[in-house]
Amino acid sequence: MAQWDVFANPSPRMRQVLPYVVVLQSDLLSGLGTRLVAPLARQLPTQPGITARLSPALDVCGERVTLVAQECAPVDARALRDPVASLREQSHLIVDALDAMVSGV
């Protein structure tokens, strides 16, 4: 599994709203047993203070989804089976969202 790979959400009860997760973790840390991921939402309710920069729209398997950067979390790498897509070509939007979340600018 590589950074920016997209997987089906390993939590079946959340898949309706958050169908996918994207691996944020660098490939340099592939020896770890966990992966830092961010969920991708089908429809993100508007939240005060959440800018479009923090929640960019991305294309996954022909579907428009929204990054939920503020809900990044580690998951057991074994829970991530077969990647369904890669967001490598859209990774600049993800990095920008994470920068906005961490630095606030």
Side-chain angles (χ1 to χ4, degrees), residues 14-85:
M14 296 302 294
R15 281 191 198 134
Q16 186 65 26
V17 177
L18 304 169
Y20 307 108
V21 296
V22 59
V23 175
L24 304 175
Q25 187 169 307
S26 169
D27 294 339
L28 296 174
L29 302 174
S30 63
L32 298 177
T34 58
R35 296 295 181 273
L36 181 65
V37 302
L40 299 169
R42 281 204 170 98
Q43 207 170 22
L44 186 66
T46 304
Q47 298 177 29
I50 302 297
T51 66
R53 182 177 171 212
L54 186 60
S55 299
L58 303 162
D59 294 311
V60 174
C61 300
E63 183 177 5
R64 198 78 162 152
V65 293
T66 304
L67 180 73
V68 189
Q70 69 273 18
E71 293 189 17
C72 296
V75 298
D76 189 317
R78 295 173 296 185
L80 304 173
R81 302 273 180 201
D82 299 314
V84 298

